[in-house]
Amino acid sequence: MRTALLLLPLLAPVAQQDPAAPGPSGSARGPHASRQDEDPAARRARQADAMAALKAKDATPAQQEAAVDTLLDLGPEATLLAGRYLDRQLERHRKDNQRAQETLLKGFGKAAKGIVSARLDREGQARLEASRAAVLGAARSPDLSKETIRTVSDPAVAVLEELLVVRPAQVWDADEELFEAFVELLDGFEVEGRVHGWWSRAVAALREGGSPRAAERLGEHADPRAFEERLMAGLRQAAEAATPLTSKDLANLEFNASVAEELDPEEVAGIADLNHLRILLGLGVQRIDVKLCEAGRDHSKDMATLGFFAHDSPVEGKTTPWMRAERFGTTAGAENIAAGQATGPAAIRAWWYSPGHHKNMLGGGARTGLGRFGSHWTQLFGG
């Protein structure tokens, strides 16, 4: 329960001003001169009417905003009154929206898994196995070429995407009630955002008006736009979780998420892109070895700054990939290098169409590391 406020000790006194004296802007009257001259009874009536308009259930957003404008114009006491009401409204909206979001995500995840399960009937399972065999068979062939990857592997991966990957739009198409709940939640975020804007104005007005202690009594509320962004991220994650994964894959993905902050975001994105391909192919998620990332980043930097592009380095003690991995306290069994790509996924795609690099990415290593320096990339794999 919130402690009742004693308004007078918290509010800075409003300075009385001679109506004829120049105001702060150089005008003959101060900005609140008409408000100060208003009859107290009339002010109280305006405040009561504005609060009633703000609280009215049938009030339009425009009418509520006009009421907020009036209350803020009436000075600190009316501003605090409006702010306290808006504070309580924000708490209610946050609880309602949070509850609705949890329910939506739970239903969405269940629906997404149902979609994949339905796809993987007997016919779907046969397509899955045939597509995986086509990609892995091509990768093991000594005659693998870029053309084979384009004509055999790419179409097979497209089938695997069709069977195993769920897009949020596909869930909405399959479940109309879920989509309606999604739209209602977005409407809830919109209302919360509108109230948050009014509440923010009240807090700012009290602070700027010399009543910081009163402003502190209006609580703390995060920008609702962040909640909407989290919802969208949650929906994407729930869709991704519909793809069948082993317990080991899940553990590796959780570990990768735990070390992501130690890496360049594009390194994280590239590793995620590779693991997405490996999940589709049933190869298993590779665990991030941060030391391999550091070794790769160091080699990428050497290539960029020293002007060479090769697996063999001219730097003493860093001649081979295995020596470079050892310098950083780990081991490696294969290496890919690239230059000219702006993003991690772009580097992965470049390697995908290069037979030797393609084979490395679909190898049996349990660990991986991707190191970026500018537009130079080094990828290492370990057992």
Side-chain angles (χ1 to χ4, degrees):
M1 181 177 295
R2 294 181 178 274
T3 304
L5 298 182
L6 297 177
L7 299 182
L8 294 179
L10 296 178
L11 300 178
V14 178
Q16 297 299 315
Q17 185 174 357
D18 181 352
S25 61
S27 62
R29 300 170 66 85
H32 303 301
S34 60
R35 187 178 67 200
Q36 293 165 356
D37 292 345
E38 189 175 11
D39 178 74
R43 285 167 54 79
R44 287 193 296 272
R46 286 181 64 203
Q47 177 175 300
D49 289 344
M51 282 302 302
L54 181 59
K55 295 179 179 180
K57 293 183 178 180
D58 59 348
T60 66
Q63 290 170 330
Q64 290 179 308
E65 184 161 11
V68 170
D69 290 340
T70 297
L71 290 163
L72 267 57
D73 185 61
L74 284 172
E77 191 167 327
T79 297
L80 183 57
L81 189 65
R84 291 178 63 193
Y85 173 75
L86 295 169
D87 174 38
R88 293 192 298 270
Q89 291 299 104
L90 277 175
E91 288 183 347
R92 180 176 66 82
H93 287 308
R94 182 84 304 265
K95 288 179 181 178
D96 290 346
N97 288 340
Q98 181 64 34
R99 190 182 306 114
Q101 178 169 323
E102 291 171 357
T103 301
L104 176 67
L105 288 174
K106 184 177 180 180
F108 183 93
K110 183 177 180 180
K113 290 181 179 180
I115 289 173
V116 173
S117 179
R119 291 173 181 172
L120 294 179
D121 56 11
R122 181 176 297 180
E123 179 184 350
Q125 193 66 39
R127 293 178 68 206
L128 174 75
E129 293 171 2
S131 298
R132 284 177 170 174
V135 177
L136 299 179
R140 287 191 290 266
S141 170
D143 300 322
L144 178 66
S145 66
K146 184 175 183 178
E147 182 63 20
T148 301
I149 295 171
R150 291 192 180 280
T151 59
V152 176
S153 303
D154 281 357
V157 169
V159 172
L160 294 172
E161 292 267 2
E162 176 189 333
L163 291 170
L164 298 176
V165 176
V166 178
R167 312 294 181 192
Q170 293 171 326
V171 179
W172 306 141
D173 289 342
D175 195 319
E176 186 176 343
E177 289 186 4
L178 266 181
F179 181 67
E180 291 177 355
F182 173 61
V183 172
E184 288 180 6
L185 181 53
L186 292 182
D187 289 342
F189 282 135
E190 183 179 351
V191 173
E192 185 178 1
R194 187 161 56 242
V195 175
H196 184 274
W198 298 334
W199 168 86
S200 298
R201 288 178 57 199
V203 171
L206 288 171
R207 287 175 177 161
E208 293 169 4
S211 303
R213 290 179 59 198
E216 290 174 4
R217 297 298 186 95
L218 299 187
E220 295 183 5
H221 301 281
D223 190 329
R225 287 175 294 187
F227 301 130
E228 186 169 343
E229 290 171 1
R230 289 175 198 168
L231 168 65
M232 297 307 180
L235 292 172
R236 290 192 296 270
Q237 291 170 1
E240 292 169 1
T243 301
L245 295 169
T246 66
S247 58
K248 185 176 181 180
D249 286 339
L250 289 169
N252 283 341
L253 287 174
E254 185 175 352
F255 175 82
N256 289 354
S258 73
V259 300
E261 291 186 358
E262 301 177 41
L263 309 180
D264 181 303
E266 287 302 330
E267 294 171 352
V268 175
I271 293 171
D273 202 49
L274 171 60
N275 275 328
H276 174 71
L277 287 167
R278 292 180 62 89
I279 289 170
L280 293 178
L281 294 167
L283 294 175
V285 171
Q286 290 185 324
R287 193 180 183 94
I288 294 176
D289 183 339
V290 174
K291 294 178 180 178
L292 283 180
C293 293
E294 293 170 345
R297 199 178 302 129
D298 186 65
H299 185 56
S300 295
K301 180 179 180 180
D302 285 345
M303 289 192 292
T305 57
L306 301 178
F308 73 96
F309 184 73
H311 294 289
D312 292 334
S313 172
V315 181
E316 185 177 354
K318 302 182 185 179
T319 305
T320 67
W322 340 124
M323 294 172 66
R324 294 191 288 273
E326 187 176 2
R327 281 174 61 90
F328 283 87
T330 187
T331 60
E335 180 182 73
N336 290 342
I337 58 174
Q341 294 76 26
T343 68
I348 297 298
R349 292 301 166 181
W351 287 323
W352 174 258
Y353 291 108
S354 174
H357 301 99
H358 183 103
K359 290 175 180 287
N360 283 344
M361 292 197 300
L362 302 189
R367 295 175 292 115
T368 190
L370 181 61
R372 170 198 191 188
F373 184 83
S375 61
H376 281 71
W377 304 84
T378 302
Q379 185 177 47
L380 288 160
F381 302 95

